[in-house]
Amino acid sequence: MKSVQLGNTDLQIKPIFFGGNVFGWTLNEEESFKILDAFLDRGFNAIDTSNNYSHWVPGNVGTESEKIIGNWLKSRGKRDQIVLATKVGGRNIVQDKPNTTKAHILKEIDDSLTRLQTDYIDLYQTHYDDVNTPVEETLSAYNQLIKEGKVRFIGASNFSSERLIESLEKSNLYNLPQYKTLQPEYNLYDRQHFEEFLQPVAEKYNLAVIPYYSLASGFLSGKYKGEEDLQKSLRGDGIKKYLNERGYRILDALNTVSNQHNISYSAVALAWLLEQKTIVAPIASATKEQHIDAFVEAVNVQLSHDDIKLLTEASDY
């Protein structure tokens, strides 16, 4: 399996990030260890999480994912084989709005490092933009963390194009660290916002894009063909919006390409993403080993021009 460079960094990754939002939610610690072992055994090496996963689960406080990953890293002794990404600034059970102040970031990094049982983060990302905090304040916090060796590179996630551009320009103006990656919502169904507003910025500033919800919360796996299927998953309520004419058109196209290459719907959807400009590594979660097989298929398959055209036209907006 080929490695790719994560944008303008020296981080070499296999081109799928494991999405750590399932740890402490749909997977307990024992199950999480097994799926991470399988992910690593298949040759992958990049894990994405956040300091607030999975706060939405009743009884959780929002530190569960990092703790599970930290316990796994300690038990396996393979920190040097992993590209570890986490995030700061998002909502949690005690904070109902984004917070990217310097004081908050400087506190949260130490808490994340403790939970992850490591002394550095490869990619530290602003989870949500806090529009009330000047971008240069946030970047100055990262500047300190990079100088201290706690963070190697920084990325942005949920930003408007305007604030993202401002952040990138202020980095140059004040000689502060610059975001190297962008983590937006992007998949075969959810295309318009990224393609119209954020992709041009990523192209201009050479940002490596690592999209989340790459499988549209599982809809693009083909698991949900109608409303009667919504009870199959804890994410069922979030799938209903995809069950419309356009969604079914996308599933038909996935079915066609899946049959042509004898691979899963998920693999086709991820492979389509990997063919899109600026995309370096989609983020996808797995709760069963066979789900990781789809990651392998996606990386290894070569979609034809006609395949890509069919999928792109079926998902046109």
Side-chain angles (χ1 to χ4, degrees):
M1 186 189 305
K2 68 177 181 179
S3 293
V4 294
Q5 187 172 336
L6 189 61
N8 188 24
T9 74
D10 61 3
L11 298 174
Q12 295 291 319
I13 66 169
K14 308 300 182 180
I16 300 285
F17 263 91
F18 193 102
N21 63 332
V22 292
F23 303 140
W25 177 24
T26 52
L27 294 177
N28 62 28
E29 182 165 298
E30 181 182 357
E31 294 164 337
S32 300
F33 277 31
K34 288 179 181 178
I35 207 76
L36 284 169
D37 287 341
F39 183 72
L40 193 62
D41 288 345
R42 299 247 194 332
F44 296 101
N45 68 333
I47 301 171
D48 176 79
T49 186
S50 173
N51 68 343
N52 69 349
Y53 291 167
S54 43
H55 71 90
W56 54 87
V57 179
N60 281 7
V61 297
T63 58
E64 291 76 16
S65 179
E66 287 188 335
K67 286 179 179 176
I68 288 172
I69 293 169
N71 290 340
W72 177 77
L73 287 171
K74 182 181 181 181
S75 69
R76 301 308 188 255
K78 296 179 178 179
R79 173 67 182 92
D80 61 338
Q81 298 180 31
I82 300 298
V83 173
L84 183 59
T86 192
K87 297 183 282 290
V88 66
R91 301 171 181 85
N92 55 43
I93 62 169
V94 297
Q95 175 183 297
D96 62 359
K97 59 184 179 180
N99 184 346
T100 60
T101 61
K102 186 171 185 176
H104 181 74
I105 291 171
L106 295 183
K107 174 188 178 298
E108 289 297 319
I109 184 66
D110 289 333
D111 291 343
S112 285
L113 290 172
T114 297
R115 289 190 290 265
L116 290 163
Q117 302 189 52
T118 185
D119 55 7
Y120 70 98
I121 303 298
D122 294 296
L123 179 64
Y124 202 39
Q125 302 158 98
T126 304
H127 201 167
Y128 287 87
D129 182 30
D130 168 13
V131 297
N132 295 313
T133 299
V135 297
E136 54 268 35
E137 178 181 341
T138 301
L139 295 170
S140 71
Y142 295 142
N143 189 47
Q144 180 174 330
L145 297 181
I146 290 171
K147 287 180 177 178
E148 292 175 351
K150 295 178 179 179
V151 169
R152 296 188 64 196
F153 301 101
I154 60 170
S157 187
N158 298 284
F159 272 64
S160 67
S161 57
E162 294 81 7
R163 284 276 288 187
L164 181 58
I165 291 170
E166 181 185 358
S167 297
L168 295 164
E169 292 293 336
K170 289 287 180 65
S171 294
N172 289 329
L173 182 62
Y174 296 118
N175 194 29
L176 292 168
Q178 189 168 70
Y179 291 128
K180 303 296 185 182
T181 62
L182 175 64
Q183 186 180 144
E185 180 178 10
Y186 185 48
N187 55 60
L188 257 174
Y189 190 101
D190 301 293
R191 292 176 48 191
Q192 187 171 4
H193 181 75
F194 172 72
E195 291 180 358
E196 289 188 357
F197 298 104
L198 293 169
Q199 196 168 45
V201 181
E203 281 192 278
K204 179 178 178 180
Y205 292 92
N206 193 29
L207 298 178
V209 178
I210 51 174
Y212 68 84
Y213 286 172
S214 296
L215 296 175
S217 298
F219 171 71
L220 298 175
S221 71
K223 180 179 178 180
Y224 307 94
K225 302 293 178 61
E227 291 198 18
E228 65 276 8
D229 295 323
L230 297 181
Q231 304 305 314
K232 292 181 179 180
S233 169
L234 293 174
R235 297 183 175 190
D237 289 344
I239 302 296
K240 190 172 182 179
K241 65 180 180 179
Y242 299 116
L243 300 179
N244 53 45
E245 181 180 351
R246 179 167 171 263
Y248 292 129
R249 193 166 65 240
I250 292 170
L251 291 182
D252 286 343
L254 286 169
N255 182 61
T256 297
V257 179
S258 170
N259 288 333
Q260 287 175 349
H261 292 276
N262 194 30
I263 60 176
S264 64
Y265 283 33
S266 297
V268 174
L270 292 170
W272 178 86
L273 272 175
L274 284 166
E275 292 291 338
Q276 305 309 302
K277 57 188 179 182
T278 72
I279 305 301
V280 173
I283 299 169
S285 298
T287 55
K288 300 176 182 177
E289 270 200 51
Q290 60 261 39
H291 296 163
I292 299 176
D293 293 335
F295 301 173
V296 177
E297 292 172 344
V299 172
N300 291 333
V301 73
Q302 183 61 58
L303 297 184
S304 69
H305 172 77
D306 287 343
D307 294 333
I308 296 169
K309 184 171 183 285
L310 175 66
L311 293 163
T312 303
E313 290 181 350
S315 61
D316 193 28
Y317 47 87

